[in-house]
Amino acid sequence: MMRRLFTLCALAAVAGAPFPALLQAQRAVPAATPDWNALGDQAAHMLADYIKINTTNPPGNELASARFLKGILDREGIEAQILDTAELGAGRANLYARFRGTGKKKAIILLHHMDVVPAAPSFWKIPPFSGEIRDGYVWGRGAIDMKSFGVVDLLAMVALKRAHVPLDRDIIFIANADEELGSTGATVFTKRHADLISDAEYLVTEGGQNDVVNGKLIYYGVGVAEKRTFWQGLTVTGIPSHGSRPTPDNPVPKLVAALDRIAHYETPIHPTPGVDKFFKDISVLYQEPQRGWLSNVAGAMSDSAARKWILSNVAWNAYLRNTISLTGLRGSNKTNVIPPEAYAELDIRLLPDADTAQFSADLNRVANDTAVHIRTIFGPKTPLEVPTNTDFFRAIERASHDRDPKAPVTTPMFTAATDRPLYRALGIATYGLDPFRIENTLYQEGMHGNNERISIENLTFGIHYMYDILRYAQ
Ligand SMILES: [Zn+2]
């Protein structure tokens, strides 16, 4: 592409054509099909360089990665700004860029986070920040979560620009700091720069996952909903004394009894719209009787065999109800001392439409002991459930069906947390997408694990897929 433009420039210069005429000549060139393999190769090298910038959080060090991304955007002629360095602290930053369309329709945001989780090099086959390209893969921390997605977003935007694809919607590229720890990047960005994205209708980021088994894509998983983190701390106070003489004022047995009641508590089953669609969509992949059960998952709950089968899948169970995991637990630090206090923590994940006050009341009722004091240690973010009846969702469906006409494009619940609710709070419809076809086992191994890597084939796929989605969403 660069060479072709150069030739055009050279010819124009020889002919003595004025500059505006040259611009017109360039615009008149019909949109060329991008060279996907060349873009995939460019993505691999860009991702390798991005991985080499160690943005392990803490401390994050995202200012260096923001400068790296800005350098690329500058070279491609896309206006970019590094923001929030003072608010986020030393070495940290957010990045914002905008590629302008006609502005006839509202903008689309491509969002990713620049930070990565820590990596323990001794468990890796290659150093996690080497960005090594080996055996057709780019290796390193962030290769899946989610520097690869950022590179794909950037190059899809660049490909649209180079090919002069007409755009009615501006494309906004945002890279945030600190998603993996405190979400301060997205929090500061949405607080300070809501004006920069006031024209945005859609946002796409992590939070989707395609299902790939033995090289076969089973379904495209698009995130339209997210569970809400609602962590609780339970405290029982007592009277400390010597363990050799048991007393009724020991707080530990009271806490344990309450925890046991909570552990046996069956939260109600409640399929949200996206989850209901998910089960209906995937029902076609099963034989009877499972097919019938999944096509009406709420109804299936009254059939004990169906209920048992559906809820034995830990992911499906979490899609269908508020969940409670007993995690932290603390009593005495000495075997012979009855402690003054016993403490436990619950990792609770609520469905998007759950009523938090009602849930807290239910939890207190189940704990059933006024000596147990329950308080929220991490409050829920804005509820997130966005519609599938939108231009953007239809664009994802179309681009997916271009590639796999028979694979469902469906909407599993996202059971963990992303930065999406912060943007959802501004009224933007936020979608979780997986722009790759990563084998489930590789995803499991690499995401926050060891030997994180992504194939160049997947990078190539991702750029083309995002390019089509953005084109179709116009
Ligand atoms: Zn992530």
Side-chain angles (χ1 to χ4, degrees), residues 198-315:
S198 60
D199 64 332
E201 183 171 13
Y202 302 119
L203 177 149
V204 63
T205 186
E206 63 186 349
Q209 191 180 335
N210 302 332
D211 192 32
V212 183
V213 180
N214 297 326
K216 186 177 179 327
L217 183 125
I218 312 296
Y219 64 73
Y220 285 92
V222 183
V224 296
E226 181 170 309
K227 295 290 277 287
R228 300 168 80 198
T229 307
F230 192 50
W231 291 347
Q232 303 292 313
L234 283 68
T235 309
V236 181
T237 47
I239 299 171
S241 55
H242 199 283
S244 65
R245 295 181 183 185
T247 77
D249 300 314
N250 183 350
V252 176
K254 288 178 190 162
L255 180 68
V256 168
L259 291 176
D260 187 52
R261 289 189 284 274
I262 291 168
H264 288 95
Y265 173 43
E266 287 264 330
T267 55
I269 300 297
H270 169 59
T272 54
V275 167
D276 197 48
K277 172 176 159 52
F278 168 76
F279 284 113
K280 279 195 173 73
D281 288 339
I282 65 161
S283 67
V284 299
L285 305 170
Y286 292 81
Q287 304 296 320
E288 292 296 349
Q290 286 93 340
R291 179 178 289 202
W293 295 344
L294 295 173
S295 66
N296 175 13
V297 77
M301 287 300 138
S302 53
D303 176 330
S304 64
R307 182 183 169 97
K308 194 173 170 214
W309 179 70
I310 291 168
L311 299 183
S312 67
N313 180 313
V314 294

